[in-house]
């Protein structure tokens, strides 16, 4: 393996998305990641299907696409955590790694002797990251949590979607599990920070990351808008609460995103769109005034954009250096020359499907480049390898563990 974390070993005890996403980020960065799954069933997300991967002959496998989205770069071992022998294996593995990631309910792993204090006792330098819905403290710490719940409770849905007074308006979930992904990103950052701190102090620590906390943090400018005004922001569709024009417009044959992040870009747009009277009008000359006159300027720009097709606008605005873009389908995303040039679609050999197409990491390093080498594993694919090479078990011991249902 290569990458900036190629010296780090990770034990991934997590399922579904938020915590596995964090572990996948570490794997992308070069860490050696061992994923622990339940014998027979594996990660819950293996059942989040269809769709499944297609085999080399076009037939359907039993490998879910969802699982593959968050588990590249890992090796899979099956262990029955409810058995004392399985718990002992996890403790053995925990002495061999730098980081342990888990997303069990608060206190669950401690009942198995696998909580932070238990693992710290046998590996004082361990960085132990717990990902839960509501955190390790507080009155709701014991509640189960999912992305959809966090989007609602954390306020994100209240600012997402069309205006309530328009057709289809009202609270709306984001089209991907954004809070799971955000929580995974925060966990990745926290783990990397703890690794850096340990390099100086020699000490590990316990990291507590929660979906609800991450959603509240993710409110960003909308939270500050509330703090500044005392009024809760409301959904405004594809418009921006603080910048105008920064939204979608209908063109002669489709739609286009215009993003005028400053007054100079708005003036440039008006020049190429042949509507300089708008940028000269005091009501629209500055962003502050455009926000104050949002309805009027939007109505005027709607008329302007209907004069040309999307392709014509994209060419014209690109040449003028005005930020804009089409609204692609997912299929169109992976046909974009820039997306392909940046290596955002990769393909790896797969134990069941033959090959599997995957989304590549967006992180680019000049000195320690990311190399995608390990595909999402089949269930228990590396059990023998990990027991033998990492824990030094003999073949007879491995066979006995399998026979007893421990692995």
């Amino acid at each position: 393996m290569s990458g900036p974390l190629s010296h780090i070993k990770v034990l991934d005890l997590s399922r579904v998305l938020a915590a596995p996403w964090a572990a996948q980020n570490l794997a992308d960065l070069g860490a050696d990641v061992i994923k622990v799954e339940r014998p027979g069933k594996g990660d819950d997300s293996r059942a989040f299907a269809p769709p499944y991967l297609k085999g080399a002959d076009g037939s359907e496998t039993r490998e879910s696409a969802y699982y593959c989205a968050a588990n590249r770069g890992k090796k899979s071992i099956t262990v029955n955590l409810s058995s004392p022998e399985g718990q002992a294996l996890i403790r053995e593995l925990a002495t061999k790694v730098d980081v342990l990631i888990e997303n069990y309910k608060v206190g669950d792993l401690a009942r198995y002797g696998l909580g932070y204090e238990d693992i710290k006792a046998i590996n004082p330098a361990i960085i132990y990251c717990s990902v839960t819905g509501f955190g390790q403290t507080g009155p709701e710490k014991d509640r189960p949590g999912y992305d959809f719940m966090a989007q609602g409770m954390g306020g994100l849905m209240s600012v997402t979607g069309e205006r309530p007074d328009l057709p289809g308006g009202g609270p709306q979930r984001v089209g991907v599990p954004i809070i799971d992904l955000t929580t995974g990103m925060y966990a990745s950052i926290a783990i990397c920070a703890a690794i850096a701190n340990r390099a100086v102090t020699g000490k590990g620590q316990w990291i507590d990351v929660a979906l609800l906390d991450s959603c509240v943090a993710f409110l960003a400018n909308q939270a500050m808008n509330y703090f500044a005004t005392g009024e809760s922001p409301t959904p405004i569709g594809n418009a921006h609460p603080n910048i105008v024009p920064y939204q979608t417009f209908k063109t002669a044959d489709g739609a286009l995103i215009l993003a005028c992040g400053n007054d100079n870009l708005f003036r440039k747009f008006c020049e190429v769109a042949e509507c300089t009277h708008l940028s000269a009008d005091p009501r629209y000359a500055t962003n502050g005034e455009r926000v104050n006159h949002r309805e009027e300027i939007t109505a005027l720009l709607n008329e302007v954009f209907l004069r040309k097709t999307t392709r014509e606008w994209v060419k014209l605005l690109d040449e003028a250096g005005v930020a804009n873009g089409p609204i692609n389908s997912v299929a169109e995303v992976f046909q974009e020359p820039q997306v392909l040039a940046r290596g955002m679609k990769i393909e790896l050999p797969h134990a069941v499907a033959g090959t599997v197409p995957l989304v590549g990491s967006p992180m680019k390093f000049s000195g320690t480049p990311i190399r995608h080498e390990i595909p999402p594993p089949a269930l228990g694919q590396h059990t023998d390898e990990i027991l033998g090479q990492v824990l030094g078990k003999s073949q007879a011991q491995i066979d006995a563990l399998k026979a007893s249902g421990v692995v």
Side-chain angles (χ1 to χ4, degrees):
M1 298 293 288
S2 63
L5 294 184
S6 58
H7 61 298
I8 297 297
K9 298 183 184 302
V10 178
L11 187 60
D12 179 10
L13 299 181
S14 65
R15 304 92 71 208
V16 188
L17 189 53
W21 195 258
Q24 179 173 262
N25 285 334
L26 301 182
D28 284 346
L29 292 167
D32 183 3
V33 179
I34 296 173
K35 182 177 180 71
V36 178
E37 302 190 66
R38 292 176 298 172
K41 292 186 176 180
D43 187 317
D44 293 347
S45 68
R46 287 188 182 274
F48 291 1
Y52 297 98
L53 296 185
K54 294 287 176 54
D57 60 356
S59 62
E60 192 174 81
T61 72
R62 302 308 292 175
E63 297 289 316
S64 80
Y66 193 113
Y67 173 86
C68 291
N71 289 287
R72 65 172 177 261
K74 305 177 186 181
K75 296 178 179 179
S76 172
I77 179 175
T78 55
V79 180
N80 181 359
L81 266 65
S82 65
S83 71
E85 297 86 355
Q87 295 157 18
L89 284 178
I90 297 302
R91 281 189 284 274
E92 281 189 70
L93 286 169
T95 65
K96 308 289 186 181
V97 301
D98 303 281
V99 178
L100 186 153
I101 302 174
E102 60 92 10
N103 63 345
Y104 284 75
K105 290 181 183 177
V106 171
D108 270 10
L109 286 184
R111 292 192 293 109
Y112 295 147
L114 301 174
Y116 171 64
E117 295 298 336
D118 304 304
I119 302 303
K120 179 184 176 184
I122 57 176
N123 184 354
I126 195 76
I127 293 164
Y128 189 111
C129 180
S130 296
V131 178
T132 57
F134 298 91
Q136 301 293 314
T137 60
E140 299 186 352
K141 64 182 177 63
D142 295 318
R143 292 184 65 184
Y146 287 90
D147 172 273
F148 200 174
M149 294 167 58
Q151 287 196 38
M153 292 183 68
L156 182 60
M157 289 176 62
S158 76
V159 295
T160 303
E162 194 50 85
R163 280 173 19 198
D165 59 316
L166 295 177
Q172 189 66 247
R173 180 180 69 87
V174 178
V176 294
I178 190 70
I179 300 307
D180 272 342
L181 302 178
T182 300
T183 303
M185 291 297 187
Y186 276 124
S188 302
I189 295 168
I191 290 167
C192 287
I195 291 171
N197 179 261
R198 189 181 63 181
V200 176
T201 67
K203 297 179 180 179
Q205 57 186 301
W206 190 9
I207 297 168
D208 172 10
V209 183
L211 297 181
L212 182 60
D213 295 351
S214 297
C215 189
V216 173
F218 203 55
L219 292 176
N221 62 303
Q222 291 285 40
M224 288 307 303
N225 289 344
Y226 163 68
F227 290 152
T229 65
E231 298 179 3
S232 290
T234 56
I236 53 175
N238 288 319
H240 192 289
N242 305 105
I243 307 171
V244 175
Y246 195 99
Q247 63 196 84
T248 58
F249 290 97
K250 290 184 178 179
T251 65
D253 66 345
L256 181 81
I257 295 168
L258 177 67
C260 291
N262 56 52
D263 295 334
N264 183 51
L265 282 175
F266 181 65
R267 286 192 292 271
K268 282 186 176 181
F269 163 75
C270 290
E271 288 173 7
V272 297
E274 299 179 350
C275 57
T276 54
H277 60 287
L278 295 180
S279 57
D281 190 319
R283 293 173 298 173
Y284 314 130
T286 65
N287 181 68
E289 287 302 313
R290 291 193 295 276
V291 171
N292 289 335
H293 296 88
R294 179 191 299 274
E295 297 295 334
E296 301 97 306
I297 186 63
T298 299
L300 293 169
L301 292 177
N302 280 334
E303 296 177 5
V304 171
F305 273 98
L306 290 173
R307 299 171 187 167
K308 299 180 187 297
T309 67
T310 297
R311 284 184 177 275
E312 289 172 333
W313 279 118
V314 169
K315 183 175 186 299
L316 192 67
L317 296 175
D318 279 351
E319 290 173 350
V322 177
N324 76 97
I327 301 171
N328 285 332
S329 67
V330 174
E332 289 168 337
V333 168
F334 292 103
Q335 295 166 7
E336 280 279 358
Q338 184 66 14
V339 172
L340 295 174
R342 296 287 289 173
M344 291 307 297
K345 181 181 179 182
I346 61 174
E347 199 167 86
L348 292 174
H350 188 271
V352 176
T355 59
V356 57
L358 297 164
V359 179
S361 172
M363 296 177 281
K364 315 295 182 186
F365 292 83
S366 64
T368 53
I370 289 172
R371 294 190 178 93
H372 297 294
E373 298 173 344
I374 301 177
L379 179 60
Q381 179 181 343
H382 305 94
T383 297
D384 286 20
E385 175 187 333
I386 293 166
L387 291 175
Q389 297 182 12
V390 178
L391 297 185
K393 305 293 184 186
S394 67
Q395 190 59 53
Q397 289 174 308
I398 294 171
D399 291 342
L401 288 168
K402 288 181 177 179
S404 62
V406 176
V407 300

